[in-house]
Amino acid sequence: MGEGRKPLRRVSITINGKRYEAEVEPRMLLVHFIREVAGLTGTHVGCDTTNCGACTVLMNGRAVKSCTVFAVMADGAEIVTVEGLESDGKLHPVQEGFVEEHGLQCGFCTPGMLMTSVWLLSRNPDPSEEEIRRYISGNLCRCTGYLNIVKAIRYAARKIREEGVSPIPRFTPEKPGRG
Amino acid sequence: MIPAPFEYYSPSSLEEAIELLERFGEDAKLLAGGQSLIPMMKLRIIEPKVIIDLNRVPGLSYIREEGGFLRIGALTRYYMVEESELVRRRYPLLHEAVSQIADPVVRNMGTVGGNVCHSDPANDLPAVMLAYGAEMVAVGPNGERVIGASEFFRGPYQTDLRPGEILKEIRIPQAKPRSGGAYLKLERRAGDFAIAASAVQVVLDSSDRFEYVGIALTSLGPTAIRVDAAEKVLLGRSSSNLSSINEAAELAYKAAEPVSDLRGPEWYKREMAKVLTKRALLKAVERARSFTG
């Protein structure tokens, strides 16, 4: 390769059950792959410095800050974004919880907050208030509506236990991703 | 924010990674979890020409007791340590420190090896490794080299690793009966770096005297500081003697070299070195007394 040339890398990333392949610069961040290559703009860029968690998505079932992962690191990974939560027109229990308990004000932190909540509930279906607060400590709500966010997550936990469903959405290979 | 362009390599073995590191020398940076490196690249604090991504190198992620050590693969992510029943039960100092690094989402990516190799004076694990008297296993073009924690942390963002060397494993002396530790960290807000923190590991003999003491400080100098003087004061003395513990805490106060910054003034951090060390010692002793192995 010539001096100064930065070759592109081919990556294949599955987002909400749909595979996206693209040639990307190695410096491309996962959040930009999600927003610009896949066109899924529900995942927000907030602080851009790994503090606020607005860009949180699930990578292979775990919540990560997608502004602090290179797209090349996610090559071959399964990503779930906020667009993957709703299924057949039905809100995910965490989304329903945020609606019912008024878990948002401006809504900017909400996509990241929802994804961390999904991850938390996949690990612990009945978290205490303290556990919820610990899990969401890397997701900042500058409207400071934490009280209702905690209530919303407890609502979702109850609903998930009652319905006995998996918090992490499952996608069949045939089903195209949304967006 | 987008990092400066770089060439990207994703080796599939340690040998290949070492070859790349030798080939590109100072132009290359190793990428592990990326939770410190990527923000620094985005802020253009550093602009490495070459990134060698270790995430596809197999066999670097494990936690096991073997041959007298707790062995942790360099690519082991924080959450694996936090969720390890073995670590929770037998290595409270490590468990307590890892569970307080950044926030749970960052802990899904960040790695133990990345934390120690980054050698940020505000990183939590250098002090933990000093307190345990841990060893770092590096592998390079000339084979393996074992480096004691006291030699490993050279300065801010500086370690003893030589060109072409990669940290492969961290070895913590295996937990003995009547051993215990604690990590006391003071934060301004959840997920922040420490204002000050103290790491303590002790082993008590059958008459409750200190048989081993390791004390080290985070965020209180240009690198993690081992408080040798305090360790010496306590060795052989009774762990019920509060005046010895106060004396050790006073020595931590003296060993600290903090600077005033947005996390607090110099005098306050120094006071916290004392308070946190005293509390960590008391907690470590309490845990050691009830730990049967």
Side-chain angles (χ1 to χ4, degrees), chain A residues 1-2 4-7 9 25-29 32 47-51 56 59 62-65 67-76 116 119 123 134-140, chain B residues 1-10 23 31-36 38-39 41-44 49 51 53 55-56 77 79 82-83 99 102-109 189-191:
Chain A
M1 71 197 71
R5 282 193 54 208
K6 308 297 171 195
R9 295 277 297 210
E25 274 194 85
R27 63 175 170 163
M28 177 184 262
L29 298 161
H32 294 135
C47 71
D48 223 347
T49 51
T50 331
N51 286 291
T56 304
M59 183 159 101
R62 288 197 165 258
V64 300
K65 298 191 180 183
C67 82
T68 312
V69 177
F70 290 124
V72 287
M73 293 164 80
D75 186 19
T116 298
W119 171 57
R123 311 241 347 119
R134 195 167 67 236
Y135 267 83
I136 64 169
S137 64
N139 292 79
L140 306 184
Chain B
M1 294 182 294
I2 296 167
F6 54 84
E7 277 176 38
Y8 174 80
Y9 294 88
S10 177
R23 188 158 120 213
L31 171 65
Q35 303 300 287
S36 295
I38 296 175
M41 289 172 68
K42 289 168 73 177
L43 293 163
R44 309 265 176 139
K49 293 195 177 70
I51 285 291
D53 181 357
N55 285 285
R56 317 254 168 200
R77 299 191 198 275
Y79 80 84
E82 193 178 356
E83 292 173 10
S99 307
D103 62 63
V105 179
V106 168
R107 294 201 289 274
N108 279 336
M109 282 301 288
R189 55 182 167 79

Coordinates of all heavy atoms in Angstrom, one line a residue, chain A residues 1-2 4-7 9 25-29 32 47-51 56 59 62-65 67-76 116 119 123 134-140, chain B residues 1-10 23 31-36 38-39 41-44 49 51 53 55-56 77 79 82-83 99 102-109 189-191:
Chain A
M1 N 0.8 -1.2 0.0 CA 0.0 0.0 0.0 C 0.9 1.2 0.0 O 2.0 1.3 0.6 CB -0.9 0.0 1.2 CG -0.2 0.2 2.5 SD -1.2 -0.3 3.9 CE -1.2 -2.1 3.8
G2 N 0.4 2.3 -0.6 CA 1.2 3.5 -0.8 C 1.3 4.3 0.5 O 0.4 4.1 1.4
G4 N 0.6 6.8 3.2 CA -0.5 7.7 3.5 C -1.8 7.2 3.0 O -2.9 7.8 3.4
R5 N -1.9 6.1 2.3 CA -3.2 5.5 1.9 C -3.8 4.7 3.0 O -3.1 3.9 3.7 CB -3.0 4.7 0.7 CG -2.9 5.5 -0.6 CD -3.0 4.6 -1.8 NE -4.3 3.9 -1.8 CZ -4.5 2.7 -2.3 NH1 -3.5 2.1 -3.0 NH2 -5.6 2.1 -2.3
K6 N -5.0 5.0 3.3 CA -5.6 4.3 4.4 C -6.7 3.4 3.8 O -7.8 3.8 3.5 CB -6.3 5.2 5.4 CG -5.3 6.3 5.9 CD -4.1 5.8 6.7 CE -3.1 6.9 7.0 NZ -1.8 6.4 7.4
P7 N -6.3 2.1 3.6 CA -7.3 1.2 2.9 C -8.6 1.0 3.7 O -8.6 1.0 4.9 CB -6.5 -0.1 2.7 CG -5.5 0.0 3.8 CD -5.2 1.4 4.1
R9 N -11.8 -1.3 5.0 CA -11.9 -2.6 5.4 C -13.4 -3.0 5.2 O -14.3 -2.3 5.4 CB -11.7 -2.8 6.9 CG -10.2 -2.5 7.3 CD -9.4 -3.7 7.1 NE -9.8 -4.8 8.0 CZ -8.9 -5.7 8.5 NH1 -7.6 -5.6 8.2 NH2 -9.4 -6.7 9.2
E25 N -13.7 3.0 6.6 CA -12.4 3.3 7.1 C -12.3 2.7 8.5 O -13.3 2.7 9.3 CB -12.3 4.9 7.3 CG -11.9 5.6 6.1 CD -11.5 7.0 6.4 OE1 -10.4 7.3 6.9 OE2 -12.4 7.9 6.3
P26 N -11.1 2.2 8.8 CA -11.0 1.6 10.2 C -11.3 2.5 11.3 O -11.7 2.1 12.4 CB -9.5 1.2 10.2 CG -9.0 1.2 8.8 CD -9.9 2.1 8.1
R27 N -11.2 3.8 11.1 CA -11.5 4.8 12.2 C -13.0 5.0 12.3 O -13.4 5.8 13.2 CB -10.8 6.1 11.9 CG -11.2 6.8 10.7 CD -10.5 8.2 10.6 NE -10.7 8.8 9.3 CZ -10.5 10.1 9.1 NH1 -10.1 10.9 10.1 NH2 -10.7 10.6 7.9
M28 N -13.8 4.5 11.5 CA -15.2 4.7 11.6 C -15.7 4.1 12.9 O -15.5 2.9 13.2 CB -16.0 4.1 10.5 CG -17.5 4.3 10.7 SD -18.5 3.5 9.4 CE -18.9 4.9 8.4
L29 N -16.5 4.9 13.7 CA -17.0 4.4 15.0 C -18.3 3.6 14.7 O -19.0 3.8 13.7 CB -17.3 5.5 15.9 CG -16.0 6.3 16.2 CD1 -16.4 7.7 16.8 CD2 -15.2 5.6 17.3
H32 N -21.4 5.5 14.1 CA -21.6 6.1 12.8 C -22.0 5.1 11.7 O -22.7 5.4 10.8 CB -20.3 6.9 12.4 CG -20.0 8.1 13.2 ND1 -18.8 8.4 13.7 CD2 -20.9 9.0 13.7 CE1 -18.9 9.5 14.5 NE2 -20.1 9.9 14.5
C47 N -22.3 12.8 24.4 CA -21.1 13.5 24.8 C -19.9 13.2 23.9 O -18.9 13.9 23.8 CB -20.7 13.1 26.2 SG -20.1 11.4 26.4
D48 N -19.9 12.0 23.2 CA -18.9 11.5 22.4 C -17.6 11.2 23.1 O -16.5 11.1 22.5 CB -18.6 12.6 21.3 CG -18.4 12.0 19.9 OD1 -18.2 10.8 19.8 OD2 -18.4 12.8 18.9
T49 N -17.6 11.1 24.4 CA -16.4 10.8 25.2 C -16.6 9.7 26.3 O -16.0 9.7 27.3 CB -15.9 12.1 26.0 OG1 -17.0 12.6 26.7 CG2 -15.4 13.1 25.0
T50 N -17.6 8.8 26.0 CA -17.7 7.6 26.8 C -18.3 7.9 28.2 O -18.3 7.0 29.0 CB -16.4 6.8 27.0 OG1 -15.6 7.1 25.8 CG2 -16.6 5.3 27.1
N51 N -18.9 9.1 28.4 CA -19.5 9.4 29.7 C -21.0 9.1 29.7 O -21.5 8.6 30.6 CB -19.2 10.8 30.0 CG -17.8 11.1 30.5 OD1 -17.4 10.6 31.5 ND2 -17.0 11.7 29.6
T56 N -25.6 3.9 23.7 CA -25.6 2.5 24.1 C -26.4 1.6 23.2 O -27.6 1.9 22.9 CB -26.1 2.4 25.5 OG1 -25.3 3.3 26.4 CG2 -26.0 1.0 26.0
M59 N -24.2 -5.3 22.0 CA -23.3 -6.0 21.1 C -23.1 -7.4 21.6 O -22.7 -7.6 22.8 CB -22.0 -5.3 21.0 CG -21.0 -5.9 20.0 SD -19.7 -4.7 19.5 CE -18.3 -5.3 20.6
R62 N -24.6 -7.7 25.1 CA -24.1 -6.8 26.2 C -24.2 -5.4 25.8 O -23.9 -5.0 24.7 CB -22.7 -7.2 26.6 CG -22.6 -8.5 27.4 CD -21.3 -8.6 28.1 NE -21.5 -9.7 29.0 CZ -21.8 -9.6 30.3 NH1 -21.7 -8.4 30.9 NH2 -22.0 -10.6 31.1
A63 N -24.5 -4.5 26.8 CA -24.6 -3.1 26.5 C -23.2 -2.5 26.3 O -22.3 -2.7 27.1 CB -25.3 -2.4 27.6
V64 N -23.0 -1.8 25.2 CA -21.7 -1.1 25.0 C -22.0 0.3 24.5 O -23.0 0.6 23.9 CB -20.8 -1.8 24.0 CG1 -20.5 -3.2 24.5 CG2 -21.4 -1.9 22.6
K65 N -21.0 1.2 24.7 CA -21.1 2.6 24.2 C -20.6 2.6 22.8 O -19.4 2.5 22.6 CB -20.4 3.5 25.1 CG -21.0 3.5 26.5 CD -20.5 4.6 27.5 CE -21.1 4.4 28.8 NZ -20.8 5.4 29.8
C67 N -20.1 4.8 20.6 CA -19.1 5.8 20.2 C -17.7 5.5 20.6 O -16.8 6.2 20.3 CB -19.5 7.2 20.8 SG -18.9 7.4 22.5
T68 N -17.5 4.4 21.3 CA -16.2 4.0 21.8 C -15.9 2.6 21.4 O -15.2 1.8 22.1 CB -16.1 4.2 23.4 OG1 -16.7 5.5 23.7 CG2 -14.7 4.1 23.9
V69 N -16.4 2.2 20.2 CA -16.1 0.9 19.6 C -15.9 1.2 18.1 O -16.7 1.9 17.5 CB -17.3 -0.1 19.7 CG1 -17.0 -1.4 19.0 CG2 -17.6 -0.4 21.2
F70 N -14.8 0.8 17.5 CA -14.6 0.9 16.1 C -15.5 -0.1 15.4 O -15.7 -1.2 15.8 CB -13.2 0.7 15.6 CG -12.2 1.8 16.1 CD1 -11.1 1.5 16.9 CD2 -12.5 3.1 15.7 CE1 -10.3 2.5 17.3 CE2 -11.6 4.1 16.1 CZ -10.5 3.8 16.9
A71 N -16.1 0.3 14.2 CA -16.9 -0.6 13.5 C -16.2 -1.9 13.1 O -16.8 -3.0 13.2 CB -17.4 0.1 12.2
V72 N -14.9 -1.8 12.9 CA -14.1 -3.0 12.5 C -14.1 -4.0 13.7 O -13.9 -5.2 13.5 CB -12.6 -2.6 12.1 CG1 -12.6 -2.0 10.7 CG2 -12.0 -1.7 13.1
M73 N -14.2 -3.4 15.0 CA -14.2 -4.3 16.1 C -15.5 -5.1 16.2 O -15.6 -6.1 16.8 CB -14.0 -3.5 17.4 CG -12.6 -2.9 17.6 SD -12.7 -1.6 18.9 CE -12.6 -2.5 20.4
A74 N -16.5 -4.5 15.6 CA -17.9 -5.2 15.6 C -18.1 -6.1 14.4 O -19.2 -6.6 14.2 CB -19.0 -4.1 15.7
D75 N -17.1 -6.2 13.6 CA -17.2 -7.1 12.4 C -17.7 -8.5 12.9 O -17.0 -9.1 13.7 CB -15.9 -7.2 11.7 CG -16.0 -7.9 10.4 OD1 -17.1 -8.1 9.8 OD2 -14.9 -8.4 9.9
G76 N -18.8 -9.0 12.3 CA -19.3 -10.3 12.7 C -20.2 -10.3 13.9 O -20.7 -11.3 14.2
T116 N -29.7 -0.1 27.9 CA -29.0 -0.6 29.2 C -30.1 -1.3 30.0 O -29.8 -2.3 30.6 CB -28.4 0.6 29.9 OG1 -27.4 1.2 29.1 CG2 -27.8 0.2 31.2
W119 N -30.5 -4.8 28.7 CA -29.4 -5.6 29.2 C -29.5 -6.0 30.6 O -29.3 -7.1 31.0 CB -28.0 -4.8 28.9 CG -26.8 -5.5 29.5 CD1 -26.4 -6.8 29.3 CD2 -25.9 -4.9 30.5 NE1 -25.3 -7.0 30.0 CE2 -25.0 -5.9 30.8 CE3 -25.8 -3.7 31.1 CZ2 -23.9 -5.7 31.7 CZ3 -24.8 -3.5 32.0 CH2 -23.8 -4.5 32.2
R123 N -30.1 -9.8 32.5 CA -29.2 -10.4 33.6 C -29.9 -10.6 34.9 O -29.5 -11.5 35.6 CB -28.0 -9.4 33.9 CG -27.3 -8.9 32.7 CD -25.9 -9.2 32.6 NE -25.3 -9.7 33.8 CZ -24.8 -10.9 33.9 NH1 -24.7 -11.8 32.9 NH2 -24.2 -11.3 35.0
R134 N -27.4 1.4 39.9 CA -26.0 1.0 39.6 C -25.9 0.7 38.1 O -25.0 1.2 37.5 CB -25.6 -0.2 40.5 CG -24.1 -0.3 40.5 CD -23.6 -1.3 41.5 NE -24.0 -2.7 41.3 CZ -24.7 -3.4 42.1 NH1 -25.0 -3.0 43.3 NH2 -25.0 -4.6 41.8
Y135 N -26.8 -0.1 37.6 CA -26.7 -0.4 36.2 C -26.8 0.8 35.2 O -26.1 0.8 34.2 CB -27.7 -1.4 35.8 CG -27.3 -2.9 35.9 CD1 -27.3 -3.6 37.1 CD2 -26.8 -3.6 34.7 CE1 -26.9 -4.9 37.2 CE2 -26.4 -4.9 34.8 CZ -26.4 -5.5 36.1 OH -26.0 -6.8 36.1
I136 N -27.6 1.7 35.6 CA -27.8 2.9 34.7 C -26.8 4.0 35.0 O -27.0 5.1 34.5 CB -29.2 3.4 34.6 CG1 -29.7 3.9 36.0 CG2 -30.2 2.3 34.1 CD1 -31.0 4.7 36.0
S137 N -25.8 3.8 35.9 CA -24.9 4.9 36.3 C -24.1 5.4 35.2 O -23.5 6.5 35.3 CB -24.1 4.4 37.5 OG -23.2 3.4 37.1
G138 N -24.0 4.6 34.1 CA -23.2 5.1 32.9 C -24.1 5.7 31.8 O -23.7 5.9 30.7
N139 N -25.4 5.9 32.2 CA -26.3 6.6 31.3 C -26.8 7.8 31.9 O -27.5 7.8 33.0 CB -27.5 5.6 30.9 CG -27.0 4.4 30.1 OD1 -26.5 3.5 30.6 ND2 -27.3 4.5 28.8
L140 N -26.5 9.0 31.4 CA -26.8 10.2 32.0 C -28.1 10.8 31.4 O -28.3 10.9 30.2 CB -25.7 11.2 31.9 CG -24.3 10.8 32.4 CD1 -23.3 11.9 32.3 CD2 -24.4 10.2 33.8
Chain B
M1 N -16.8 13.4 17.0 CA -15.4 13.5 16.9 C -14.9 12.2 16.3 O -15.3 11.1 16.7 CB -14.8 13.6 18.3 CG -15.1 14.9 19.0 SD -14.3 15.1 20.6 CE -15.2 13.8 21.5
I2 N -13.9 12.3 15.4 CA -13.4 11.1 14.7 C -11.9 11.1 14.8 O -11.3 12.2 14.6 CB -13.9 11.2 13.2 CG1 -15.4 11.2 13.1 CG2 -13.3 10.1 12.3 CD1 -16.0 11.5 11.8
P3 N -11.3 10.0 15.1 CA -9.9 9.9 15.2 C -9.2 10.2 13.9 O -9.8 10.1 12.8 CB -9.6 8.5 15.6 CG -10.9 7.9 16.1 CD -12.0 8.7 15.4
A4 N -7.9 10.5 14.0 CA -7.1 10.7 12.7 C -7.0 9.3 12.0 O -7.1 8.3 12.7 CB -5.7 11.2 13.1
P5 N -6.8 9.3 10.7 CA -6.7 8.0 10.0 C -5.6 7.2 10.5 O -4.6 7.7 11.0 CB -6.5 8.4 8.6 CG -6.8 9.9 8.5 CD -6.6 10.5 9.8
F6 N -5.8 5.9 10.4 CA -4.7 5.0 10.8 C -4.8 3.7 9.9 O -5.9 3.4 9.4 CB -4.8 4.6 12.3 CG -6.1 4.1 12.7 CD1 -6.4 2.8 12.6 CD2 -7.0 5.0 13.3 CE1 -7.7 2.3 13.0 CE2 -8.3 4.5 13.7 CZ -8.6 3.1 13.6
E7 N -3.7 3.0 9.9 CA -3.8 1.6 9.3 C -4.2 0.6 10.4 O -3.7 0.7 11.5 CB -2.4 1.2 8.8 CG -2.0 1.8 7.4 CD -0.6 1.5 7.0 OE1 -0.2 0.3 7.3 OE2 0.0 2.3 6.4
Y8 N -5.0 -0.3 10.0 CA -5.6 -1.2 11.0 C -5.1 -2.7 10.7 O -5.2 -3.1 9.5 CB -7.1 -1.1 10.9 CG -7.9 -2.1 11.7 CD1 -8.0 -1.9 13.1 CD2 -8.4 -3.2 11.2 CE1 -8.8 -2.8 13.9 CE2 -9.1 -4.1 11.9 CZ -9.3 -3.9 13.3 OH -10.0 -4.8 14.0
Y9 N -4.7 -3.3 11.7 CA -4.3 -4.7 11.6 C -5.0 -5.5 12.7 O -5.1 -5.0 13.8 CB -2.8 -4.9 11.7 CG -2.0 -4.3 10.6 CD1 -1.7 -3.0 10.6 CD2 -1.7 -5.0 9.4 CE1 -1.0 -2.4 9.6 CE2 -1.1 -4.5 8.4 CZ -0.7 -3.1 8.4 OH -0.1 -2.6 7.4
S10 N -5.5 -6.7 12.3 CA -6.2 -7.5 13.3 C -5.6 -8.9 13.3 O -6.1 -9.8 12.7 CB -7.7 -7.5 12.8 OG -8.4 -8.4 13.6
R23 N 7.5 -4.4 13.5 CA 7.6 -3.7 12.2 C 7.3 -2.3 12.3 O 8.0 -1.4 11.7 CB 6.6 -4.4 11.3 CG 6.7 -4.0 9.8 CD 6.1 -5.1 8.9 NE 5.0 -4.6 8.2 CZ 4.0 -5.3 7.8 NH1 3.8 -6.5 8.2 NH2 3.0 -4.7 7.1
L31 N -4.6 -2.1 20.5 CA -6.0 -1.9 20.9 C -6.5 -3.1 21.6 O -6.6 -4.2 21.1 CB -6.8 -1.6 19.6 CG -8.4 -1.5 19.8 CD1 -8.8 -0.3 20.7 CD2 -9.1 -1.5 18.5
A32 N -7.0 -2.9 22.9 CA -7.6 -4.0 23.6 C -9.1 -3.6 23.7 O -9.8 -3.6 22.7 CB -7.0 -4.2 25.0
G33 N -9.6 -3.2 24.9 CA -11.0 -2.8 25.0 C -11.3 -1.5 24.4 O -12.5 -1.2 24.0
G34 N -10.3 -0.6 24.3 CA -10.5 0.7 23.7 C -11.1 1.8 24.5 O -11.3 2.9 24.0
Q35 N -11.4 1.5 25.8 CA -12.2 2.5 26.5 C -11.4 3.7 27.0 O -12.0 4.7 27.4 CB -13.0 1.8 27.7 CG -13.9 0.6 27.2 CD -15.0 1.0 26.2 OE1 -15.9 1.7 26.6 NE2 -14.8 0.7 25.0
S36 N -10.1 3.6 26.9 CA -9.3 4.8 27.2 C -8.7 5.2 25.8 O -8.6 6.4 25.5 CB -8.2 4.5 28.2 OG -8.7 4.2 29.4
I38 N -9.6 4.8 22.6 CA -10.5 5.4 21.6 C -10.8 6.9 21.9 O -10.7 7.7 21.1 CB -11.7 4.5 21.3 CG1 -11.2 3.2 20.6 CG2 -12.6 5.2 20.3 CD1 -12.2 2.1 20.4
P39 N -11.3 7.1 23.2 CA -11.5 8.6 23.5 C -10.3 9.4 23.3 O -10.4 10.6 22.8 CB -11.9 8.5 25.0 CG -12.5 7.1 25.2 CD -11.7 6.3 24.3
M41 N -7.9 9.0 21.2 CA -7.7 9.2 19.7 C -8.8 10.1 19.2 O -8.5 10.9 18.3 CB -7.9 7.8 19.0 CG -6.7 6.9 19.3 SD -6.9 5.2 18.7 CE -6.9 5.5 16.9
K42 N -10.0 10.1 19.7 CA -11.0 11.0 19.2 C -10.7 12.4 19.6 O -11.0 13.3 18.8 CB -12.4 10.6 19.8 CG -12.9 9.3 19.2 CD -14.1 8.7 20.0 CE -15.3 9.5 19.7 NZ -16.5 8.9 20.4
L43 N -10.2 12.6 20.8 CA -9.8 14.0 21.2 C -8.5 14.4 20.6 O -8.0 15.5 20.8 CB -9.7 14.0 22.7 CG -11.0 13.8 23.5 CD1 -10.7 13.5 25.0 CD2 -11.9 15.1 23.4
R44 N -7.9 13.5 19.8 CA -6.6 13.7 19.1 C -5.5 14.0 20.1 O -4.5 14.8 19.8 CB -6.7 14.8 18.0 CG -7.9 14.6 17.1 CD -7.5 14.0 15.8 NE -8.7 13.7 14.9 CZ -8.7 13.9 13.6 NH1 -7.6 14.3 13.0 NH2 -9.8 13.6 12.9
K49 N -0.3 6.0 14.0 CA -0.4 5.7 12.6 C -0.9 4.3 12.3 O -1.5 4.0 11.3 CB 1.0 5.9 11.9 CG 1.5 7.3 11.9 CD 2.7 7.4 11.0 CE 3.2 8.9 10.9 NZ 3.9 9.2 12.2
I51 N -2.9 0.8 14.2 CA -3.6 0.2 15.3 C -3.5 -1.3 15.1 O -3.8 -1.8 14.0 CB -5.1 0.7 15.3 CG1 -5.1 2.1 15.9 CG2 -5.9 -0.3 16.2 CD1 -4.8 2.2 17.4
D53 N -5.1 -4.5 16.6 CA -6.3 -4.8 17.4 C -6.1 -6.3 17.9 O -6.0 -7.2 17.1 CB -7.5 -4.8 16.5 CG -8.8 -5.1 17.2 OD1 -8.8 -5.5 18.4 OD2 -9.9 -5.0 16.5
N55 N -8.2 -7.9 19.7 CA -9.5 -8.6 20.1 C -9.7 -9.9 19.4 O -10.6 -10.7 19.8 CB -10.6 -7.6 19.9 CG -10.7 -6.5 20.9 OD1 -11.1 -6.8 22.1 ND2 -10.2 -5.3 20.7
R56 N -9.0 -10.1 18.3 CA -9.2 -11.4 17.6 C -8.1 -12.4 17.9 O -8.0 -13.5 17.3 CB -9.3 -11.2 16.1 CG -10.1 -10.0 15.6 CD -11.5 -10.4 15.0 NE -12.3 -9.2 14.9 CZ -13.6 -9.2 14.8 NH1 -14.2 -10.3 14.8 NH2 -14.3 -8.1 14.7
R77 N -12.1 -9.1 30.1 CA -12.9 -7.8 30.3 C -13.3 -7.7 31.8 O -13.5 -8.7 32.5 CB -14.1 -7.8 29.4 CG -13.6 -7.8 27.9 CD -14.7 -7.6 26.9 NE -14.3 -8.0 25.6 CZ -13.5 -7.3 24.7 NH1 -13.1 -6.1 25.0 NH2 -13.2 -7.9 23.5
Y79 N -16.0 -7.1 33.2 CA -17.3 -7.7 33.6 C -17.0 -9.2 34.0 O -17.7 -9.7 34.9 CB -18.4 -7.6 32.6 CG -18.3 -8.6 31.4 CD1 -18.9 -9.8 31.6 CD2 -17.8 -8.2 30.2 CE1 -18.8 -10.7 30.5 CE2 -17.7 -9.1 29.2 CZ -18.2 -10.3 29.3 OH -18.2 -11.2 28.2
E82 N -15.7 -9.1 37.4 CA -16.8 -8.7 38.3 C -17.8 -9.8 38.6 O -18.3 -10.0 39.7 CB -17.5 -7.5 37.7 CG -18.4 -6.7 38.6 CD -19.0 -5.5 37.9 OE1 -18.7 -5.2 36.8 OE2 -19.9 -4.9 38.6
E83 N -18.0 -10.6 37.5 CA -19.0 -11.7 37.6 C -18.4 -13.0 38.1 O -19.1 -14.0 38.2 CB -19.7 -11.9 36.3 CG -20.6 -10.7 35.9 CD -21.2 -10.7 34.5 OE1 -21.1 -11.8 33.9 OE2 -21.8 -9.7 34.1
S99 N -15.2 -3.6 40.3 CA -16.6 -3.2 40.3 C -16.8 -1.7 40.4 O -17.9 -1.3 40.2 CB -17.3 -3.9 41.5 OG -17.0 -5.3 41.5
A102 N -15.1 2.9 36.1 CA -16.0 3.6 35.2 C -17.4 3.2 35.5 O -17.9 3.4 36.7 CB -15.6 3.3 33.8
D103 N -18.2 2.7 34.6 CA -19.6 2.3 34.8 C -19.8 0.9 34.2 O -19.0 0.4 33.4 CB -20.5 3.4 34.2 CG -20.4 3.5 32.7 OD1 -20.6 2.5 32.0 OD2 -20.0 4.6 32.3
P104 N -21.0 0.3 34.5 CA -21.2 -1.1 34.0 C -21.1 -1.3 32.5 O -20.7 -2.3 32.0 CB -22.6 -1.4 34.5 CG -22.8 -0.5 35.7 CD -22.1 0.7 35.4
V105 N -21.5 -0.3 31.8 CA -21.5 -0.4 30.3 C -20.0 -0.4 29.8 O -19.7 -1.2 28.9 CB -22.4 0.7 29.6 CG1 -22.3 0.5 28.1 CG2 -23.8 0.6 30.1
V106 N -19.2 0.5 30.3 CA -17.8 0.5 30.0 C -17.1 -0.8 30.4 O -16.3 -1.3 29.7 CB -17.1 1.8 30.7 CG1 -15.6 1.7 30.6 CG2 -17.6 3.1 30.0
R107 N -17.6 -1.3 31.5 CA -17.0 -2.6 32.0 C -17.3 -3.8 31.1 O -16.6 -4.8 31.2 CB -17.4 -2.9 33.5 CG -16.9 -1.9 34.4 CD -16.8 -2.4 35.9 NE -18.2 -2.5 36.5 CZ -18.8 -1.5 37.1 NH1 -18.3 -0.3 37.2 NH2 -20.0 -1.8 37.6
N108 N -18.2 -3.6 30.2 CA -18.5 -4.7 29.3 C -17.4 -4.8 28.2 O -17.3 -5.8 27.4 CB -19.9 -4.5 28.6 CG -21.0 -5.0 29.5 OD1 -20.8 -5.9 30.3 ND2 -22.2 -4.5 29.3
M109 N -16.6 -3.7 28.0 CA -15.6 -3.7 26.9 C -14.2 -3.6 27.5 O -13.3 -4.3 27.0 CB -15.8 -2.4 26.0 CG -16.9 -2.5 25.0 SD -16.7 -3.9 23.8 CE -15.3 -3.3 22.8
R189 N -18.5 11.7 41.4 CA -19.8 11.3 40.9 C -19.6 9.9 40.4 O -18.5 9.5 40.1 CB -20.3 12.2 39.9 CG -19.3 12.4 38.7 CD -19.8 13.4 37.7 NE -18.7 13.8 36.8 CZ -18.3 13.0 35.8 NH1 -18.9 11.9 35.5 NH2 -17.3 13.4 35.0
A190 N -20.7 9.2 40.2 CA -20.7 7.8 39.7 C -19.9 7.7 38.4 O -20.1 8.6 37.5 CB -22.1 7.3 39.5
G191 N -19.0 6.8 38.3 CA -18.3 6.5 37.1 C -17.1 7.4 36.8 O -16.4 7.2 35.8

